[in-house]
Structures are given as C-alpha cells and as structure tokens.
Amino acid sequence: MGFDLGAELAAVRGQGYDLHSRYLNPQLPRTLHAIGFDKIYERGEGAYLYDAEGNAYADFLAGFGVFAAGRSHPVIRKALHDALEADFASWTQFDCPPISGLLAQRLLAKAPGLDRVFFCNSGTEAVESALKFARHATGRGRVVYAVHAFHGLTAGSLSVNGAEEFRKGFGPLLPGTQIPLGDLGALDAELRKGDVAAMIVEPVQGHGVLMTPPGFLAAAAALLRKNGALLICDEVQSGFGRTGTFFSYQHEEDVRPDIVTVAKALSGGYVPVAAMLATEKVFGSVYSSMDRVMVHSATFKGGPLAMAAGLATLSVIDDEGLVENAARVGAALRSALEGLAGTYDVIADVRGRGLMIGIEFGRPSSVRARAGWAMLQKARVGLFAQMVVVALFQRHRILTQVSGDHMEVIKLIPPLMIGDAEVALFTEALDDVLKDASKGSGLMWDFGRTLIKQAVRS
Ligand code: PLP
C-alpha cells in the first residue's frame, strides 16, 4: 500500500486538537478551547479563512504577518507548481543555482546600500546570523536592543528580547543591554563604553506597535558609525510593504542600516524562507577567505521552492501595488478607528504605519465600565484587550491578537491586499463590541470574569 496523503488526513479528520493535546504543545489546544478559538478551518483565500460550514473569518492576523499577498495567491501557487515540476537538483551544496542569485539580486534592489544576502529559514535564524556577523565584523560582543523588542526565540535572539516573560529560565544569554525605544541619550551612553557591536531595532515594534520617533534611526545610525558599531534593522514583521514603505526604516530618508533581517511575508505563505541582507564590509569580514566558505551556513539555505516563493511574492507585491495599498488602506483604517476613539474613551490610542496598527485601551470614564476595567486590571493587565479579541472573533468572525503580554493593545496585521470593505467590516465590528463593553455588563463581561478565573488559576 503506497502513501496517500488524502487518505492519511481523512483518517484523522476532526482530530487535530486531540492529536496536538497528545503529541505537541498541549497548552495550545488548551488555550484555544478556553478562549473559544478552537475552530477547524478548511481553507483560506485572500483575506479570509473558511470553516467546514463555509463561514468566513476575516484574517487580521495573516499568520503573524506571513500572508502579505493574501492566502492561496494564484501567482505564488503557480510558481511553486512550476518549481516542483522543474525538479531542480536542490541542495547539491557544491553548486551555485541561479534561482537564489536572482532572489538575492531582487531583494537587494529594494535595499540600496546593502550588497549581499545570506538565505536561511526563519526570522530568528536571520537574527542569529545578524548577531554573529555584527560581532565578527566589529570584534565586540554586546548588542543594544529596545524595551519590548521581539526578534525571535532561539538563544541569541532571546538575548535581545525586551520582555522578561520570554527570557525567564533560559539564561545565561549573550551580553546585551536594553534601552528605551528611540532613546538616543541611552544609546550614546552605552556606546561610550566601547564594547557595543550593534543596536538591533524593529522600526515598528511587533509588540505594542510602538514606533521609533522621527529622525531617530538616522541619528542612531550616525552615532553607531561614529563609535564603530552597526545598525541592524529587523524587518521580519514590518518589511515587504507592511508599513506602507517597502522596508519600515525607509519611512526616514537616507537611513542606511548595515544589516537588515527579513522572513515571514517573503514565503508567500507557503515555504519558510528568511534572509539577512548586509553590506560588503560586514559580509567580507565573515567570508574573508576560501577556508572560511562554510563558517556560517545552513543545510537548507536557498532551497529552490523557498526561492521560487520569494521571487513570486516580490513580483506580486510590485504588480499589485501592495506597498501603496497598505499605505492607503492603513490610513483609512486608522482614520476610521480614530473616529471610534472619539466615541469610546476606552480607546486610549490608535497608532501604527500602513497595515501594522495598534489599538491601545485605557481606563474608561463611565462608572459602570470603570468598575469592570478595574476588576480586569487587578487580575492581569491585558485581559480587557483579550476580551475584545475574543468578542471580535466570536461575534464577528474576525481574527486578531493581543499585541504582547501584559499590554492592553490589540494588533491588526491583515494581508496587504485588503480594501475598503474590510475597513468597514472591522470598524463596524469594533463599534459593536465596544458599545457592549461600555455598558459594563452582559455576555462580554461574563466572559471577562471567566478569563479572570483562568488567569488566577494559572
Ligand atoms: N523578528 C521579528 C520582528 C518578529 O516579529 C519575529 C516573529 O514574530 C521574529 C524576528 C522571529 O521570526 P520567526 O518566528 O520566523 O523565527
């Protein structure tokens, strides 16, 4: 009997949550059951997921930012079929296939000032590469990073993670120092100590959707250069048009990072792929002679399916004007949300760039809502935002996420191809949810109490 994927999957239909409980991280199915997110999706298309009954779910999460071009994009799918049909001599390891050269050339065309590319498989691996290259190029060991920074969860990336809940219990980590995001004075003080290899920064942070202030990146780049240190921009989440420019550091003119990391959207939603882009000088330090050819490498670097997905994705982003669309639709969505903030004072801030938007909640003024707010805050900061995320999902079938632990912020990172219909859909849904929340009673608050019980128990 031969292998038949369809038959294998038919035999476990409907058993995904049980299998995960038994064999994978059991906390995932547990959490999804607890918040009522335990759906079984059958397929995805564009900005929507569909369950077996054909219900559509608006995907404002995009697989943590993977689906820039939307799900099941025909051009990307065709490129992958073509690549499979071509049946390349993959991973020979001792050859130079043109497909990775072509993708490197296309990526570098988007990042003037950078000269070379190292391909790998995940965001964290791109960040690990960046940390190693920066340390080698400067001969220094310490890296400066921002409060709330998130650069991945392998040991090196964890060393530059700005949230204690991720780091706790995994030390000792690499030497690093946390500074407030956008604080030039703090950066200067660290650089004066003479042992800083680099500063790594997300120009728009994934956790909390906080942004570097205007002019910071250019000033920081100059300061770093003066002190012989490097600027690493982590564009794993914010790159490929997400913020309305191709890379989010390009919101500031003339910022020239020494290293840029990318991943997520480059995959087209199909094949994991990531890359570290760097200057000739940084690259040349690591790969300085033939006997160092493999000093930094990975078995799966530059796989042909990943390269095909990357090439097709870049082409779709250009052909469909997704960078411009993210800027336009993002501005429309932020403006609609600011309108809601005028009605509901529980919205403390609406911020972001392009289609990377954070909605921060704060203490409401009405007496009834204030009591509920205080109750949730006492149990755990972030539960109100969680309550909104759950209500958006259960009542309106919209998928969003709380943006980082202990934060009253929800983050919107939908596919970059959404339009006015999705802006209206989301705004009307949030209006409905906040109308209910402002009453300080009802189903939503009952659920809030359930969340509190769970938070207390865990
Ligand atoms: N850097 C940033 C800015 C990210 O948002 C992430 C993931 O969310 C990473 C790095 C890590 O990427 P990965 O999950 O592919 O390892």
Side-chain angles (χ1 to χ4, degrees), residues 284-304:
S285 150
V286 173
Y287 299 119
S288 53
S289 61
M290 280 197 280
D291 62 356
R292 291 179 61 79
V293 60
M294 291 289 178
V295 74
H296 185 76
S297 189
T299 304
F300 289 124
K301 65 183 180 298

Side-chain angles (χ1 to χ4, degrees), residues 28-287:
L28 179 64
R30 221 180 131 210
T31 306
L32 295 175
H33 287 315
I35 62 175
F37 271 46
D38 47 357
K39 300 288 170 200
I40 300 173
Y41 301 105
E42 296 275 306
R43 64 187 187 89
E45 196 178 327
Y48 294 89
L49 287 155
Y50 297 88
D51 65 18
E53 285 78 50
N55 295 311
Y57 296 77
D59 184 8
F60 276 67
L61 187 56
F64 292 150
V66 164
F67 294 96
R71 289 175 186 266
S72 194
H73 196 289
V75 171
I76 303 169
R77 284 170 56 120
K78 177 173 183 312
L80 287 169
H81 280 294
D82 290 350
L84 215 50
E85 277 306 308
D87 209 6
F88 296 106
S90 341
W91 293 310
T92 314
Q93 309 298 2
F94 294 116
D95 72 341
C96 293
I99 195 164
S100 35
L102 190 58
L103 181 56
Q105 188 183 42
R106 298 263 162 91
L107 278 173
L108 291 167
K110 301 289 189 188
L114 297 177
D115 307 302
R116 292 188 182 271
V117 177
F118 173 77
F119 284 115
C120 47
N121 304 283
S122 64
T124 199
E125 201 185 338
V127 170
E128 295 288 340
S129 307
L131 299 177
K132 274 182 74 179
F133 277 57
R135 286 159 61 111
H136 196 273
T138 59
R140 301 172 183 174
R142 196 157 62 96
V143 175
V144 172
Y145 60 97
V147 177
H148 296 310
F150 188 90
H151 300 287
L153 294 176
T154 50
S157 304
L158 205 54
S159 310
V160 289
N161 186 305
E164 190 47 31
E165 62 266 18
F166 285 109
R167 303 166 63 103
K168 207 170 146 202
F170 293 108
L173 299 169
L174 296 177
T177 303
Q178 201 175 114
I179 63 169
L181 182 71
D183 187 334
L184 264 187
L187 175 62
D188 191 27
E190 293 308 322
L191 288 173
R192 280 170 197 276
K193 296 174 190 164
D195 63 338
V196 171
M199 177 182 76
I200 184 165
V201 66
E202 303 151 86
V204 183
Q205 286 189 326
H207 283 205
V209 195
L210 296 158
M211 288 158 285
T212 51
F216 169 77
L217 288 176
L223 202 56
L224 286 156
R225 197 154 300 137
K226 192 175 119 203
N227 287 276
L230 307 181
L231 174 63
I232 305 170
C233 286
D234 183 348
E235 296 278 351
V236 166
Q237 188 162 158
S238 55
F240 301 108
R242 162 80 37 214
T243 69
T245 51
F246 195 86
F247 289 120
S248 65
Y249 71 80
Q250 292 165 343
H251 279 280
E252 271 188 50
E253 267 175 43
D254 295 331
V255 175
R256 294 283 163 102
D258 301 281
I259 302 178
V260 169
T261 51
V262 299
K264 291 193 190 274
L266 186 61
S267 68
Y270 283 98
V271 188
V273 58
M276 179 198 67
L277 285 56
T279 60
E280 185 74 53
K281 197 169 166 203
V282 168
F283 238 78
S285 150
V286 173
Y287 299 119

